[in-house]
Amino acid sequence: MKKKWIYPVLLIVAVALIVSGCGNSNSGKKADDDKTIRISFNPGPYSDQFKKGVAPYLENKGYKIEYTEFTDGIQPNVAVSKGEIDANVFQHSLYLESINKREKIDLIGAVQVPTPPMGLYSKKHASLDEISEGATINLPNEPVNMLRALNILKEVGWITLKDNIDPLQTSLNDITSNPHKLDFLATEPAQGPRALPDVDFAAIQGNFAVANDIKLTTALQLENMTDPFTNIVAIDSANKDAQFVKDIVEGYHSQEFQDYIKSNPIYEGYKLPSYFK
């Protein structure tokens, strides 16, 4: 005998699931009266920049700040999109664009931050003139950051590249000439400092260099960093007009933050955002 109550119950459950699903689409939205900022960092200089130069400004406005650390580039962005954290600081806008496409999320940059450039380093050679045939070069294996490394090698005259390379699709196939027959070893960006003793040269992102006590001033060549590669504070697009975002931006723009950066020798060689006076 059929139980007539089953169908209404199933209908109610289905409606509840649909409503619940719709609610999740705005899970990253933050109320303006929420005075807690949950922010994450990856290894590198951005945590200290924030804690010493921006956090005091925000705390004076009544905010409580909760910190989290990640070691990869996917989890912190997904966490922001889900509303588990409010912002992260570790990446440039082109990398964020690639993760947005990959994970089908919608994060944006709120403000640029002082960024250490990628550099070409060596433990075995004291000069770029010591390049030899078959030398091993360590590069980041992420397309966007591989393009940055390849551009450094192009600047020093070791390779030539195709025109108009898509940063999100960069590969070693974009090299058009390699007269020194360089041997490329592409690894996770964070592995660059570890690979350095075993290769002739390594192109290392600035944050990983700093995190491993490699001074930017020891690079044999630093990249000519342009705005798309300057790091940002990433937020969910749903929060672009939120008060906490406006206050974070004000904190980075503050004279206190600029004075902290300019007076600290460890930030020598950093690319400074255009709002710095």
Side-chain angles (χ1 to χ4, degrees):
M1 177 173 153
K2 291 184 178 179
K3 294 186 172 72
K4 294 182 179 180
W5 53 267
I6 290 178
Y7 300 105
V9 170
L10 290 176
L11 180 60
I12 291 170
V13 171
V15 171
L17 288 172
I18 291 171
V19 171
S20 175
C22 292
N24 286 341
S25 65
N26 291 320
S27 60
K29 182 70 174 175
K30 183 178 175 72
D32 271 351
D33 59 356
D34 187 344
K35 298 295 283 186
T36 298
I37 296 176
R38 300 159 300 167
I39 189 166
S40 78
F41 300 89
N42 284 36
Y46 308 109
S47 178
D48 279 349
Q49 284 185 17
F50 185 88
K51 289 178 179 178
K52 297 177 181 179
V54 179
Y57 180 90
L58 294 171
E59 289 164 347
N60 285 338
K61 282 182 166 285
Y63 285 97
K64 176 185 176 183
I65 303 171
E66 297 178 356
Y67 298 97
T68 307
E69 186 165 301
F70 292 91
T71 57
D72 78 314
I74 309 298
Q75 293 182 69
N77 285 323
V78 172
V80 170
S81 74
K82 290 182 176 179
E84 296 169 354
I85 57 177
D86 302 309
N88 65 52
V89 188
F90 75 95
Q91 66 197 319
H92 50 71
S93 57
L94 285 177
Y95 180 79
L96 177 60
E97 181 183 342
S98 71
I99 301 303
N100 277 341
K101 289 183 177 179
R102 170 176 166 171
E103 300 297 321
K104 296 180 174 56
I105 57 180
D106 188 19
L107 272 57
I108 59 174
V111 62
Q112 290 185 333
V113 303
T115 307
M118 181 181 286
L120 191 61
Y121 298 87
S122 180
K123 291 283 190 180
K124 298 181 178 180
H125 306 284
S127 167
L128 295 175
D129 295 333
E130 296 179 18
I131 188 65
S132 59
E133 186 168 317
T136 305
I137 315 292
N138 181 256
L139 306 173
N141 63 0
E142 298 166 346
V144 172
N145 290 314
M146 178 180 285
L147 178 57
R148 298 169 68 189
L150 293 178
N151 278 329
I152 294 176
L153 301 184
K154 178 183 176 182
E155 287 172 13
V156 301
W158 291 355
I159 62 171
T160 59
L161 297 171
K162 295 177 182 176
D163 295 328
N164 302 315
I165 298 173
D166 180 353
L168 303 183
Q169 301 294 328
T170 305
S171 74
L172 295 176
N173 293 328
D174 291 313
I175 298 173
T176 54
S177 69
N178 179 13
H180 296 290
K181 297 181 174 58
L182 302 176
D183 182 19
F184 299 105
L185 175 64
T187 63
E188 291 291 329
Q191 298 301 315
R194 297 180 187 176
L196 184 57
D198 301 318
V199 298
D200 289 289
F201 300 91
I204 302 174
Q205 288 172 230
N207 60 309
F208 293 119
V210 171
N212 286 272
D213 296 322
I214 300 173
K215 292 184 178 180
L216 299 181
T217 52
T218 66
L220 300 178
Q221 180 79 15
L222 289 173
E223 72 178 317
N224 181 20
M225 180 179 282
T226 55
D227 275 355
F229 298 115
T230 302
N231 280 15
I232 56 174
V233 177
I235 60 165
D236 192 282
S237 62
N239 290 318
K240 61 184 175 69
D241 297 319
Q243 188 59 47
F244 85 94
V245 173
K246 295 176 183 177
D247 290 334
I248 288 175
V249 173
E250 285 182 7
Y252 275 100
H253 282 214
S254 68
Q255 192 61 50
E256 294 91 334
F257 177 69
Q258 295 186 41
D259 290 344
Y260 165 71
I261 294 295
K262 290 180 178 179
S263 64
N264 199 321
I266 68 171
Y267 298 117
E268 290 179 3
Y270 278 54
K271 163 76 172 179
L272 300 181
S274 59
Y275 58 79
F276 266 67
K277 300 172 184 177

